[in-house]
Amino acid sequence: MTHRPTSDEIRQTFLDFFDELGHTIVPSASLVPQDDPTLLFTNAGMNQFKDVFLGIGTRPYTRAADTQKCMRVAGKHNDLDDVGRDGTHHTLFEMLGNWSFGDYYKQEAITWAWMLLTDVYGLEKERLWVTVFEDDKGDLGRDEEAATHWKQKTSIDRNHVLYFGRKDNFWEMGDTGPCGPCSEIHYDRGPEACDMQNVPGHVCEVNGPCARFTEIWNLVFIQYNNLGEGHLAPLPAQHVDTGLGFERLVAILQGVDSNYRSDLFWPLIEQTQSMANQSDEEREANLTAYRVIADHVRACTFLIGDGVLPANDGRGYVLRMVLRRAVRFGRRLGFTQPFMAELAQLVIEKMGHVFPELPQRADFIEATITAEEERFLRTLDQGLTRLEEIMGELQVRGKTEIPGKDVFFLHDTLGLPFEVTRDIAEEHGFTVDEAGYRHAREEQRARARAAGEFALEADEHGRLYPQLLDYVREQQALESLRHDPYGPLQLQARVVGLIQADALVEKAGEEETVEVALDRTNFYVEAGGQVSDTGRLYGPDWEIEVAEMKRPIEGLPLHVGKVVAGTPRIGDPVRAEVNTGRRWDIMRNHTATHLLHRALRQVLGSHIAQAGSLVAPDRLRFDYNYERPITPEQQEEIERLVTEAVLANYPVSSRQERYREALEQGVIALFGEKYGDEVRVLRVGPAESPYSQELCGGTHVSRTGDIGAFLITSESGIGAGIRRIEAVTGRGALAAAQALRAREEQAASLLETIRENVPQRVLRLLEELRAAHKEIDQLNRKLARESFEALLDAVQEINDVPFLAAQVEAPEMDTMREMADWFRDKLGDSIIVLGAVIDGKPRFIAATTKALTRRGVHAGQLVKQVAQVVGGGGGGRPDMAQAGGQDAEKIEEALAQAQKAAEAMLR
Ligand SMILES: [Zn+2]
Ligand SMILES: [Zn+2]
């Protein structure tokens, strides 16, 4: 490039270069990671391709390039403290990158990077240095492949190729997963850029401590999968992942010594100067403040543009903190009124053509910034004054560390973020007790948790929900959210709050889980045993499927669901539709629960009290105190009483009443429930003589006839003195009765009879079975006797010695041993070999007499030879031995072998 290029040109040149090399230019991903809950902000270009590297996602292209907006506020890469104090650290930055997904590899990545930097951008070759991986652990050796490409495929000075170890030149996604060596390109700013010239013995070097060499581009070659504990397996597909620091590149190409002097930041600094009405000298004297403001206003603009709203936790806290930090530095330039929105306008103007979400959201971004500034300005003076008092007191006592509890007080009560307090403390030569601050913060969270109801789900989200309520009150100017689950099941409302990925957002992404606050809702939130409603929210061009409801804090009913179409935004009108069929099932079960309660008291006694309940669409569950199971007669009586109340078609009504007066009228209140002064009384039956009256916040049918059928499906004990009844109504009762009939029909068909005859048929079958068993026993005994006699016929003689080898029926080895003894007794000096199949395996026993063992017969050796035929082995005494094998089918063959063995022994 011949003229001094603008940042827009530098960015476009990069994208054009890779476009021509067949790369798909993709848009920057959101700063809020879409699928990665482990990541606070997108912090590298590769974040959006993580699934591809992990092998669980694919893209329709194999080459990609982009500029990615990134945010870093903590960690080794960026300490917020450095932002503004030097020329190279930023919270928000752009990273240019090119990727190969199993496509090109080291040679192309290296030669193209070299070509772009030298031929296209025109950097001097002498100023470029590269580093290549050499394993200092010795496991992987040197990346000679990359080194060779650098030395042979580019015109770099061969002495400028250096080797570094794991810390500098090996990239890992995490403890496991894709990883590989990398090759970094460094730029030599010249000896004058060294900021350690006065340090004795200092030598400027790549990866050294001074500012002379700057890393500008990292080429990562993903070739291994780390399986854990350092075991690296080669990946089937090798990838390239590169990251080129845009702000640094722009500063180098524009020939300025600080990123802030480049056209990415300088216009913001000039604008700030003109708004503060300061001279150039004043500007240079306050340069840190100018730099912090320029950096932070970019971060605020982009964060809000991606839907992050100021909050006291998570992403919202980061936004609040950088915004307040900028405002505090603005105070040092004399700003006492909101000024950030005007600077945000300039950011949007300059960056809008690259990041179109900024101009689309311009009004929202500016309004959010100004509202947060105003909120902070209300307490800023108080906070600053209090901090000065604290420092004054410490000084008197000769101390320089501000206690953690004071820092927390400033944060929690006066809205002074920890980082701002630390800035100011450092400016006055004080330090802050960070550990003490964190401890105080944790203690407060623990207290909030201990407060019970208040922090039902606030554990993880901390103060996210209170923030949302604040937002609804302040930004949406609503006193409270109206919750009326007793009214119509369809309702017109408005979206007043959205939470996605643990942050307040202004719009919700498709296919994502979202929590929605409406200015009014008809959805029931789980309480008193009745489950939450489900349903749908229809916006102008979007739809949310509501899967559950929750009320994390009082006064904040939230619809939790998935965006199935479009992009819901705050302010959108919405039609809220409760799932009607499901809700009716729930209402039938709830009213029936009250009838069941009443019937139980009538049948079992008025001491019966409810110990818990569940009212779901498919069933109701009622737990109560009682010592014994109910009898079948009691169960029928209870069902009959409930059914009579249904058939009476009693009206069901509710009324707000004073708690005491309700109790005086005999209304049933539940144990363990807290009631306010005003309570809702649910009555079934005429008001003057109600059939049932209970305190209840649930939803009910309007007449008991709506319940339809009622059936108890189970009764059981669930603990000492607590019984549980489950029952069904309406459609559930029909389904239960039909299932019962189907089972009876199935039994009848299996028994080849009609349903009415099933019990008699079963009784007859049982009798037949008993008779059959008796007959089988008799036959078995007879069979044993006969086969025993038959076996005697099979006795042969070998050299005048009786020999029997036979297969017998025997349930176990003991039986075989007894049989062998019996034969031996009967035959005198003889050889007996019996085989049987026991548990599917062949078993053998061999027996002879002492006299024959003296003639050379050995039962152990005999049975061993037999067992070999069936793939087994065994042994034992010379006169009695046993063996087993595998192949039951060869049992006959094995017994034939017994004869040969016996003949050999008697020869
Ligand atoms: Zn140096
Ligand atoms: Zn109830």
Side-chain angles (χ1 to χ4, degrees), residues 191 193-197 202-205 209-212:
C194 175
D195 52 356
M196 297 177 71
Q197 292 173 47
H202 171 73
V203 179
C204 299
E205 54 192 4
C210 79
R212 176 168 165 183

Side-chain angles (χ1 to χ4, degrees), residues 190-224:
E192 64 281 3
C194 175
D195 52 356
M196 297 177 71
Q197 292 173 47
N198 301 327
V199 178
H202 171 73
V203 179
C204 299
E205 54 192 4
V206 169
N207 284 334
C210 79
R212 176 168 165 183
F213 293 94
T214 307
E215 180 209 325
I216 50 176
W217 203 345
N218 191 3
L219 316 178
V220 180
F221 309 119
I222 301 177
Q223 66 186 80
Y224 303 111

Side-chain angles (χ1 to χ4, degrees), residues 162-333:
L162 310 173
Y163 291 92
F164 282 88
R166 296 231 175 192
K167 183 171 82 67
D168 295 295
N169 279 64
F170 197 80
W171 179 88
E172 290 173 287
M173 189 181 279
D175 293 339
T176 58
C179 57
C182 61
S183 189
E184 291 177 345
I185 305 171
H186 294 252
Y187 183 78
D188 180 1
R189 292 169 172 271
E192 64 281 3
C194 175
D195 52 356
M196 297 177 71
Q197 292 173 47
N198 301 327
V199 178
H202 171 73
V203 179
C204 299
E205 54 192 4
V206 169
N207 284 334
C210 79
R212 176 168 165 183
F213 293 94
T214 307
E215 180 209 325
I216 50 176
W217 203 345
N218 191 3
L219 316 178
V220 180
F221 309 119
I222 301 177
Q223 66 186 80
Y224 303 111
N225 188 14
N226 184 348
L227 304 172
E229 289 169 15
H231 183 64
L232 303 181
L235 280 176
Q238 300 174 325
H239 312 292
V240 172
D241 160 28
T242 86
L244 171 57
F246 181 57
E247 288 77 10
R248 286 177 185 184
L249 178 70
V250 169
I252 290 169
L253 291 176
Q254 294 185 346
V256 291
D257 59 0
S258 154
N259 297 353
Y260 290 99
R261 305 264 173 193
S262 75
D263 70 348
L264 287 167
F265 295 89
W266 199 248
L268 285 167
I269 288 177
E270 284 183 326
Q271 168 100 347
T272 310
Q273 183 186 352
S274 124
M275 285 160 59
N277 202 16
Q278 287 198 333
S279 68
D280 289 358
E281 290 71 29
E282 285 169 314
R283 182 194 69 212
E284 291 305 307
N286 288 293
L287 201 54
T288 295
Y290 278 94
R291 291 192 290 215
V292 169
I293 290 166
D295 176 274
H296 287 12
V297 75
R298 275 166 40 107
C300 294
T301 306
F302 275 81
L303 283 173
I304 300 169
D306 278 343
V308 180
L309 291 173
N312 274 347
D313 269 286
R315 301 185 178 104
Y317 176 76
V318 173
L319 168 61
R320 167 161 287 170
M321 184 269 291
V322 294
L323 193 146
R324 292 186 174 197
R325 192 165 182 257
V327 169
R328 208 283 301 184
F329 275 100
R331 179 59 66 93
R332 284 178 42 184
L333 303 183

Side-chain angles (χ1 to χ4, degrees), residues 400-428:
T400 59
E401 187 182 71
I402 303 175
K405 65 171 174 46
D406 289 331
V407 181
F408 180 71
F409 172 80
L410 290 168
H411 158 81
D412 191 49
T413 311
L414 299 175
L416 215 56
F418 166 80
E419 291 80 0
V420 172
T421 301
R422 188 180 57 185
D423 283 339
I424 299 169
E426 281 169 6
E427 286 163 18
H428 291 80

Side-chain angles (χ1 to χ4, degrees), residues 571-585:
D572 281 352
V574 58
R575 193 172 81 247
E577 284 192 18
V578 173
N579 181 336
T580 309
R582 183 175 177 278
R583 165 67 94 77
W584 268 97
D585 289 337

